[in-house]
Amino acid sequence: MVSIAATDAASGEPGNAGQFTVTLGAASASNTVITYAVSATAANGTDFALLTSPVTILAGATTAVIDISVFDDLVVEGAETVTMTLTGISGGDTDIRVDGTANAASVTIADNDAATLTVGDVTVNEGAGTITFSITVDRAVQGGFSVDAVFTNGTATGGADFANATQTLAFTGTAGEVRTVTRAITDDAIIEATESFTVSLANLVPVTAPPGSFTFSDTATGTILDNDAATLTVGDVTVNEGAGTITFSVTVDRAVGGGFSIDAVFANGTATGGADFGNATQTLAFTGSAGEVRSVTRAITDDAIVEANETFTVSLASLVTVTAPPASFTFSDTGTGTIVDNDTATLTVGDVSVNEAAGTITFSVIVDRAVQGGFSIDALFANGTATGGADFGNSTQTLAFTGTAGEVRTVTRAITDDAIVEATESFTVSLAHLVPV
């Protein structure tokens, strides 16, 4: 009888050969030729060296050995088997038969390959609308497999900043195969820091390869670059000097994540800080809502000086953000504060009576309020019952005032001491052609 046994049933990659031994119950005087069939989950000639029937037990011998020479491929696969079944005697002693109870044996080929899955980091602008990750397997995998892409919050929030539904990826199993997963990202109108989230792999399900042959612990970071910018504006304000205060409004046009603070800084124009208006710097705190307004109020001085409208400016400086990048802000706008003067000055000319023999007559012109920069005005003479040029000097005279309150300027004119008996005579002095500095 002829039987077969796996004398080395545990083979494996790379190069660990298996072995079958075909045994004859007793030695024969002639060669015994035995036919066999090979069935396998491994491929004959691909996973191991090609086996071709028959095998011969030489005359006088009782055994023949069939080696399974294993090829070291680069495919991740399960353990494979080679089964050899004796099918008959094709040469030799015709009395020799195949043992029907020991006519088949199997050798197992263990795999030595492993696959690694990697996920690439991705950075996109918020305005892109989507973010796409690539998942790559480095080795061929027999039968393919599936794996889940799972999303986890970082500084970006799933459902708000990015879509975070898990997705199952199916791989056919080719080496270097890539599968992609794309998720929508939200293009909001909020100024915020760069945000990120992670993608990891889970729930690997191979078709035939052993799960333990995979490494899929890699994670990738998805980075969303903010594309928003905020502009701060300061409104111009005009108030009457008598209002006592002036209030500026500072507005941010966009929402700002985490809020921010900024200083309102005052600079002299024609108005002087500390004299005409309060000029201490003030820090304004914004919570970060779109269209948010903060106001800054300063006292203004209601003086008694007649002066031109005066101005000063408010600018913004020293921005401090909580989370948003400072480079996303524009705050170069300035606001102008205009103080409208509420003072008026009155000039009066006093009446004067003199004796004809005095030789001159002098009028006093008085301004009741201080006048910034001073001014000039003409004294004009007009006949009454007295006649200019005959009874009094009547040339126009320009009077220059420095601008102090209560300031007096005088104008003197000669009068004629004639020898005529006549009634008391009069003339008038008026003011014209005011020229302020």
Side-chain angles (χ1 to χ4, degrees):
M1 299 289 284
V2 177
S3 61
I4 187 169
T7 47
D8 186 353
S11 65
E13 300 175 8
N16 179 15
Q19 189 178 80
F20 293 99
T21 300
V22 180
T23 302
L24 184 61
S28 174
S30 60
N31 292 343
T32 303
V33 181
I34 305 110
T35 59
Y36 61 86
V38 177
S39 59
T41 56
N44 189 4
T46 300
D47 292 311
F48 56 92
L50 182 66
L51 298 177
T52 56
S53 177
V55 63
T56 300
I57 299 176
L58 298 177
T62 58
T63 60
V65 172
I66 303 172
D67 289 324
I68 304 300
S69 299
V70 177
F71 295 148
D72 186 17
D73 59 28
L74 298 175
V75 180
V76 179
E77 55 201 344
E80 298 174 309
T81 59
V82 180
T83 299
M84 183 172 288
T85 302
L86 303 182
T87 58
I89 308 300
S90 64
D93 189 336
T94 57
D95 292 330
I96 298 173
R97 298 285 183 269
V98 174
D99 186 345
T101 62
N103 65 334
S106 296
V107 169
T108 299
I109 303 173
D111 189 49
N112 71 332
D113 298 294
T116 299
L117 284 85
T118 54
V119 190
D121 294 334
V122 183
T123 298
V124 296
N125 187 282
E126 184 179 82
T130 59
I131 187 169
T132 299
F133 296 88
S134 295
I135 296 92
T136 305
V137 61
D138 63 340
R139 291 286 182 89
V141 177
Q142 187 181 64
F145 63 96
S146 66
V147 71
D148 288 349
V150 180
F151 300 86
T152 304
N153 292 350
T155 52
T157 302
D161 297 309
F162 65 96
N164 63 344
T166 296
Q167 181 172 331
T168 299
L169 306 173
F171 287 77
T172 60
T174 56
E177 186 176 357
V178 179
R179 288 289 178 266
T180 59
V181 56
T182 298
R183 286 293 172 267
I185 56 175
T186 303
D187 186 10
D188 57 31
I190 302 172
I191 291 82
E192 56 201 342
T194 296
E195 296 178 311
S196 63
F197 62 99
T198 57
V199 182
S200 58
L201 302 174
N203 305 323
L204 183 115
V205 180
V207 175
T208 59
S213 296
F214 292 81
T215 298
F216 53 99
S217 58
D218 190 38
T219 60
T221 299
T223 301
I224 304 172
L225 303 176
D226 190 51
N227 65 341
D228 300 293
T231 299
L232 284 88
T233 54
V234 188
D236 296 334
V237 183
T238 298
V239 297
N240 188 281
E241 185 178 80
T245 60
I246 186 169
T247 299
F248 295 88
S249 294
V250 182
T251 305
V252 61
D253 63 340
R254 292 286 186 89
V256 177
F260 63 96
S261 66
I262 198 164
D263 287 349
V265 181
F266 299 86
N268 292 349
T270 53
T272 302
D276 296 309
F277 65 94
N279 64 343
T281 296
Q282 181 174 331
T283 299
L284 306 175
F286 286 77
T287 60
S289 56
E292 187 175 357
V293 179
R294 287 290 177 265
S295 59
V296 55
T297 299
R298 286 294 173 267
I300 56 174
T301 303
D302 186 10
D303 57 30
I305 301 172
V306 180
E307 55 200 343
N309 293 344
E310 297 178 311
T311 61
F312 63 98
T313 59
V314 183
S315 59
L316 302 173
S318 306
L319 176 82
V320 178
T321 63
V322 176
T323 58
S328 296
F329 290 77
T330 298
F331 52 97
S332 58
D333 190 39
T334 60
T336 298
T338 301
I339 304 171
V340 178
D341 190 51
N342 64 343
D343 299 294
T344 58
T346 300
L347 285 87
T348 55
V349 187
D351 295 336
V352 183
S353 294
V354 295
N355 189 282
E356 186 179 74
T360 60
I361 187 170
T362 298
F363 295 89
S364 294
V365 183
I366 301 173
V367 62
D368 63 340
R369 291 287 184 90
V371 177
Q372 188 181 60
F375 62 94
S376 65
I377 196 165
D378 288 347
L380 305 179
F381 299 87
N383 293 346
T385 52
T387 302
D391 296 312
F392 64 93
N394 65 344
S395 60
T396 297
Q397 181 174 332
T398 299
L399 306 175
F401 286 77
T402 61
T404 56
E407 187 176 356
V408 179
R409 286 291 179 266
T410 59
V411 55
T412 299
R413 285 295 174 267
I415 55 175
T416 304
D417 185 11
D418 56 28
I420 301 171
V421 177
E422 54 199 340
T424 297
E425 296 176 311
S426 63
F427 63 96
T428 58
V429 182
S430 61
L431 301 174
H433 309 136
L434 178 80
V435 180
V437 175

